[in-house]
Amino acid sequence: MKASAFSYARASSIGNAIELLAEHGERAKVLSGGQSLMPAMNLRLLAPELIVDIGALDELRGITRREGTLSIGALTRHVDLQNSPDIATCAPLLKQAIAHVAHPAIRNRGTIGGSLAHADPASELPACVIALDATIVVRGPTGERRIAAEDFFIGIYETALSAAELLVAVEVPLPRSNAAHYFCEFARRHGDYAIVGLAAQAVIDNQKLTDLRPAFFGVGDRAVHVKIPALLGADVTPRVLAEALQALGEALDPPEDQQASGAMRRHLSKVLLARCVAELLSRPELAAWKLA
Ligand code: FAD
């Protein structure tokens, strides 16, 4: 299929892009890597009247360390995240996750800003930015807003962005020295969207988790951060873990679709959390704990 007719504007500056978006409102769409927008247009799931191409805005590209944060420009491509030494050192969770996003051809064009603005509930990067406690920086006609990643995702393909706003950057706090990360997903084939996945950041002191931010994806209308107090500061015995997994099961209400039932997604989420705790604490026996 082919997209319906649309007009095209190549933004000359961030200000120009915002002016165009403000003028055309819901009838306009931003074009970044086009890896989600173009298929949706070709399938006539979307029919914007105007495409605002921000591809020439170099100020939206790149990764910079500043004042305790790693600032990632919206147009930074998946492949740039994958190859960046700063990401490998300061946000290794993103590097791990990107390997599961689609395939090289898509990662060569897809961008972090496009992925977050697209807000697919089965997508890896929204869960990662929630786990990393990142801030999403957006700019619109009235100036800049900074939104906690956890508040940015509202529903399926829905975010806190208004039609006139541009996602300009993501700010990831630099990790503490005793921070650790975990990423894993279940997908039918490598590169497919996940059936269920988990991205987590933790802080470990004396073999105990003193902080844990697990963000699950593929389990609802958006990535969800599930707080599990039972695991914090505790000696994680099989019994403590079983209680934590039960609490997780009660916190999630995953949907059913052609890939998996809600019950299967809940079960896989528990498997992932058990493996996550086992890996973070270097206690492989916990991953084998029989799930209730
Ligand atoms: P675009 O397609 O250009 O835009 C996506 C949406 O975000 C549009 O609505 C657009 O208007 C809006 N937007 C883009 N940039 C901005 C901005 N700066 N400010 C405001 N709004 C903006 N993704 C995964 O996460 N996991 C996968 O496993 C996966 N598999 C894929 C498999 C295939 C075959 C394909 C085609 C895509 C897959 N994707 C997957 C999607 C891919 O990662 C996309 O690149 C990404 O979702 C969107 O990034 P983009 O830069 O291409 O955005």
Side-chain angles (χ1 to χ4, degrees):
M1 282 181 78
K2 283 191 176 162
S4 46
F6 59 90
S7 303
Y8 171 91
R10 191 155 171 84
S12 55
S13 64
I14 294 179
N16 176 230
I18 292 168
E19 269 169 30
L20 288 164
L21 293 175
E23 192 182 329
H24 295 270
E26 302 286 350
R27 288 170 287 121
K29 277 280 175 193
V30 175
L31 173 67
S32 286
Q35 299 304 293
S36 295
L37 181 61
M38 298 325 284
M41 288 174 63
N42 287 339
L43 292 168
R44 305 266 173 132
L45 299 171
L46 285 176
E49 289 172 16
L50 175 70
I51 292 295
V52 179
D53 181 354
I54 59 171
L57 306 182
D58 285 340
E59 62 269 48
L60 293 180
R61 242 180 274 283
I63 300 164
T64 333
R65 276 197 219 201
R66 66 168 82 96
E67 291 166 18
T69 63
L70 197 62
S71 177
I72 307 171
L75 280 181
T76 306
R77 298 171 307 157
H78 301 328
V79 68
D80 303 323
L81 297 174
Q82 205 167 14
N83 295 335
S84 158
D86 278 333
I87 294 290
T89 315
C90 304
L93 184 65
L94 289 175
K95 186 177 169 81
Q96 263 179 286
I98 287 291
H100 298 267
V101 175
H103 308 286
I106 291 156
R107 298 199 293 260
N108 283 340
R109 297 198 78 96
T111 66
I112 188 168
S115 180
L116 299 179
H118 187 56
D120 189 307
S123 180
E124 290 81 0
L125 296 186
C128 289
V129 295
I130 290 173
L132 292 169
D133 202 11
T135 300
I136 313 291
V137 186
V138 309
R139 221 175 283 171
T142 55
E144 195 163 280
R145 292 199 294 146
R146 304 167 62 76
I147 306 165
E150 204 165 342
D151 301 328
F152 183 73
F153 305 99
I154 291 175
I156 301 178
Y157 307 128
E158 207 187 341
T159 68
L161 276 170
S162 76
E165 282 177 321
L166 200 61
L167 193 161
V168 293
V170 183
E171 289 179 356
V172 179
L174 295 182
R176 288 161 56 173
S177 56
N178 46 356
H181 301 93
Y182 178 84
F183 183 92
C184 190
E185 70 177 42
F186 292 112
R188 294 238 174 244
R189 296 169 306 185
H190 185 82
D192 280 2
Y193 279 103
I195 298 172
V196 175
L198 168 60
Q201 175 167 251
V203 176
I204 300 171
D205 283 313
N206 295 323
Q207 278 297 299
K208 291 188 175 144
L209 295 164
T210 52
D211 190 22
L212 179 65
R213 288 181 67 85
F216 291 86
F217 52 104
V219 294
D221 65 354
R222 70 196 97 162
V224 270
H225 171 202
V226 183
K227 293 184 185 148
I228 309 185
L231 292 172
L232 298 183
D235 176 18
V236 182
T237 59
R239 187 194 168 108
V240 168
L241 181 62
E243 279 169 19
L245 298 180
Q246 172 146 4
L248 172 66
E250 286 163 9
L252 296 176
D253 185 16
E256 171 163 4
D257 61 18
Q258 69 278 19
Q259 294 215 78
S261 65
M264 180 175 164
R265 286 196 157 89
R266 185 179 280 114
H267 173 77
L268 292 178
S269 303
K270 291 181 182 181
V271 173
L272 285 175
L273 184 62
R275 290 185 186 175
C276 168
V277 173
E279 187 172 309
L280 290 172
L281 295 177
S282 305
R283 302 251 318 270
E285 77 280 6
L286 290 174
W289 177 244
K290 190 173 171 302
L291 298 166

